[in-house]
């Protein structure tokens, strides 16, 4: 177990660049260097992570740890990979009151908010090309964006996800285009195999989701007043995020936006860009900011809650993913959901990201310039963070 933890901890220290980069780091380490699994098995885990809601790259890491050391191995992999970003974001949250009031740091934060516009715009562009190739998917993306802009609420998002799954089930059955294998290792058609789900983990996932929905409904008028409310809000978000990474942003903003200010939320999101590890570790920052009386407890509860649904679903389907993915109606429903969440992310790009970050023509010019340079040169995330941070500080010093 310690070896698994150590390997993932070392990756958690240096895994900058988001989920796609994490997948590359995992393949280099565990397939090519350590030979813990082969390329075919690794590819199947990546495909399954895209098939399930949750933090995609962290789910792959959890599955590798599970393959190597069972359930304890999966937990060790999660702890190792997430711990560096958790510690950094927690420390930034608890010390924010000491440095956020300085004009210099305000300038840096403003620069990082502009970076968030660039990064999310790029994520939308990539996801649009990946998930919205067909006309029906483009229409789902467009309608979900328009509706969320006009009626922004968690309930509306949940309803749209269900509607998108139903539409996708009928009109977006992708078959082999889903990227998932249609055959088992022995060459038998996967669609002919029975689906054998682990009903213990499925019951736990569904039970916690229903309980969280009840808790949220009961506390909707009074906000987050206890740790049960906090756990429920983040668990619900973790249960609904398809695509991982930046997709968590609009759902989190709708879920906990009333508990933190826009500035706090976007500061946490911007800082999450600057640290290694999974984007879902943003929950550590938000949990500490929300549960200010005991910030470490708040950070731990929020982080556990947002990661848990994705891991439970991986445990449900790890041994049956071939049979599940071979059913066209299932892949169609997932395709519909993926198109829908691209629309959510496009709406979030406007508010709160763009409206809170771009306050002048100079800001817009920097966003356009940054996006152009990002697409042309594809610089390391360190360079982007440093560049926008320094630029923001200079603007704050000489313009503000």
């Amino acid at each position: 177990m310690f070896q698994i933890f150590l390997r993932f901890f070392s990756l958690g220290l240096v895994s900058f660049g988001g989920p796609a980069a994490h997948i590359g780091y995992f393949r280099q380490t565990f397939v090519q260097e350590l030979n813990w699994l082969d390329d075919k098995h690794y590819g199947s885990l990546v495909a399954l992570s895209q098939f399930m809601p949750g933090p995609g790259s962290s789910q792959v890491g959890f599955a590798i740890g599970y393959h190597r050391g069972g359930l304890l191995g999966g937990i060790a992999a999660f702890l190792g990979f997430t711990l560096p970003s958790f510690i950094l974001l927690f420390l930034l949250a608890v010390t924010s009151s000491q440095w956020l009031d300085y004009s210099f740091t305000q300038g840096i934060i403003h620069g990082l908010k502009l970076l968030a516009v660039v990064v999310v715009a790029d994520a939308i562009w990539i996801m649009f090309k990946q998930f919205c190739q067909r006309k029906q998917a483009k229409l789902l993306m467009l309608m979900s964006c328009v509706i969320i802009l006009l009626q922004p609420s968690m309930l509306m998002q949940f309803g749209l996800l269900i509607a998108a799954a139903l539409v996708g089930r009928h009109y977006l059955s992708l078959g082999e285009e889903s990227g998932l294998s249609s055959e088992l290792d022995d060459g038998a058609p996967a669609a002919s195999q029975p689906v054998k789900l682990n009903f213990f983990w499925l019951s736990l996932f569904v039970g916690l989701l229903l309980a969280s929905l009840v808790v949220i409904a009961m506390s909707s008028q009074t906000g987050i007043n206890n740790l049960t409310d906090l756990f429920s809000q983040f668990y619900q978000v973790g249960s609904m995020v398809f695509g991982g990474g930046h997709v968590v942003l609009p759902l989190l903003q709708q879920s906990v936006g009333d508990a933190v200010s826009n500035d706090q939320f976007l500061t946490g999101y911007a800082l999450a860009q600057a640290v290694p590890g999974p984007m879902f570790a943003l929950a550590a920052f938000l949990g500490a900011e929300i549960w200010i009386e005991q910030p470490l407890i708040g950070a731990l509860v929020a982080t556990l809650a947002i990661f848990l649904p994705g891991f439970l679903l991986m445990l449900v389907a790890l041994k049956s993913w071939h049979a599940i993915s071979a059913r066209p109606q299932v892949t169609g429903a997932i395709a519909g959901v993926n198109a829908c969440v691209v629309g959510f992310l496009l709406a979030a790009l406007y508010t709160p990201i763009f409206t809170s970050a771009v306050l002048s023509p100079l800001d817009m010019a920097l966003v356009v310039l940054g996006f152009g340079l990002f697409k042309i040169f594809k610089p390391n995330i360190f360079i982007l963070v440093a560049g926008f941070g320094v630029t923001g500080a200079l603007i704050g010093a000489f313009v503000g």
Side-chain angles (χ1 to χ4, degrees):
M1 294 307 112
F2 183 71
Q3 182 190 25
I4 296 173
F5 173 85
L6 195 60
R7 289 291 184 179
F8 277 93
F9 182 77
S10 63
L11 284 173
L13 290 170
V14 298
S15 292
F16 292 90
H22 300 165
I23 297 298
Y25 293 136
F26 289 163
R27 182 181 179 277
Q28 175 69 29
T29 301
F30 300 112
V31 177
Q32 296 185 332
E33 296 179 7
L34 298 178
N35 199 31
W36 283 8
L37 66 171
D38 59 25
D39 256 322
K40 183 178 180 181
H41 191 177
Y42 181 70
S44 73
L45 297 181
V46 174
L48 180 58
S49 73
Q50 298 302 308
F51 189 76
M52 295 286 181
S57 60
S58 293
Q59 286 173 304
V60 173
F62 177 83
I64 293 171
Y66 183 86
H67 171 74
R68 185 70 177 176
L71 181 58
L72 292 179
I75 294 172
F78 160 65
L79 292 176
F81 187 61
T82 310
L83 190 58
S85 54
F86 174 89
I87 293 173
L88 288 171
L89 288 169
F90 169 72
L91 291 176
L92 288 167
V94 297
T95 60
S96 61
S97 61
Q98 301 173 23
W99 48 267
L100 275 182
D101 290 336
Y102 293 103
S103 59
F104 178 77
T105 53
Q106 287 287 343
I108 293 176
I109 293 300
H110 182 67
L112 292 178
K113 288 181 182 178
L114 296 177
L115 171 62
V117 178
V118 171
V119 172
V120 174
D122 182 66
I124 293 170
W125 177 251
I126 293 172
M127 292 176 68
F128 178 81
K129 291 192 295 183
Q130 180 179 358
F131 296 130
C132 302
Q133 297 180 12
R134 299 170 67 174
K135 183 183 298 184
Q136 296 93 331
K138 291 174 182 176
L139 287 172
L140 278 174
M141 181 278 296
L142 181 64
M143 294 307 299
S144 65
C145 178
V146 170
I147 292 171
I148 286 300
L149 283 172
L150 296 176
Q151 294 290 333
S153 72
M154 198 70 177
L155 183 61
M156 180 61 73
Q157 289 185 345
F158 188 67
L160 285 172
L161 287 172
I162 294 174
L166 294 174
V167 171
R169 179 176 179 271
H170 290 285
Y171 298 107
L172 292 172
S173 298
L174 302 178
E176 294 181 359
E177 294 178 23
S178 66
L180 302 175
S181 173
S182 61
E183 293 185 352
L184 297 174
D185 292 340
D186 61 4
S192 66
Q193 302 297 317
V195 176
K196 298 179 181 178
L197 302 177
N198 189 311
F199 283 99
F200 172 77
W201 299 117
L202 180 60
S203 299
L204 183 58
F205 166 79
V206 173
L208 288 173
L209 179 58
L210 292 176
S212 69
L213 292 174
V214 170
V215 169
I216 291 169
M218 294 175 63
S219 62
S220 59
Q221 302 299 320
T222 57
I224 298 176
N225 298 312
N226 52 58
L227 291 176
T228 302
D229 293 345
L230 183 67
F231 179 92
S232 298
Q233 292 284 2
F234 281 87
Y235 186 88
Q236 179 183 243
V237 170
S239 301
M240 296 173 60
V241 176
F242 284 83
H246 303 284
V247 179
V248 76
L249 178 69
L251 296 176
L252 266 180
Q253 200 273 336
Q254 287 294 331
S255 180
V256 302
D258 293 336
V260 293
S261 67
N262 262 350
D263 277 349
Q264 286 176 310
F265 184 86
L266 287 175
T267 295
Y269 180 75
L271 292 172
Q273 307 286 332
V275 302
M279 179 66 65
F280 275 47
L282 169 61
F285 184 94
L286 296 177
E289 290 282 2
I290 293 170
W291 204 249
I292 196 68
E293 299 87 353
Q294 295 178 294
L296 180 58
I297 300 298
L300 287 170
V301 169
T303 302
L304 172 64
I306 202 170
F307 278 97
L308 183 58
F311 294 157
L312 291 177
L313 287 174
M314 290 293 283
L315 290 171
V316 168
L318 264 174
K319 296 181 179 179
S320 296
W321 74 270
H322 288 86
I324 297 170
S325 64
R327 284 154 171 77
Q329 289 182 331
V330 175
T331 58
I334 298 301
V337 169
N338 284 335
C340 184
V341 298
V342 177
F344 290 172
L345 197 54
L346 181 58
L349 176 62
Y350 172 70
T351 180
I353 299 174
F354 187 90
T355 55
S356 298
V358 180
L359 308 177
S360 68
L362 176 59
D363 290 340
M364 187 63 199
L366 289 172
V367 167
V368 172
L369 179 62
F371 185 81
L373 294 176
F374 182 61
K375 298 302 289 183
I376 295 169
F377 296 105
K378 302 186 185 304
N380 185 278
I381 190 67
F382 265 142
I383 297 175
L384 285 172
V385 170
F388 273 91
V390 170
T391 300
L394 292 174
I395 291 175
F398 295 105
V399 178

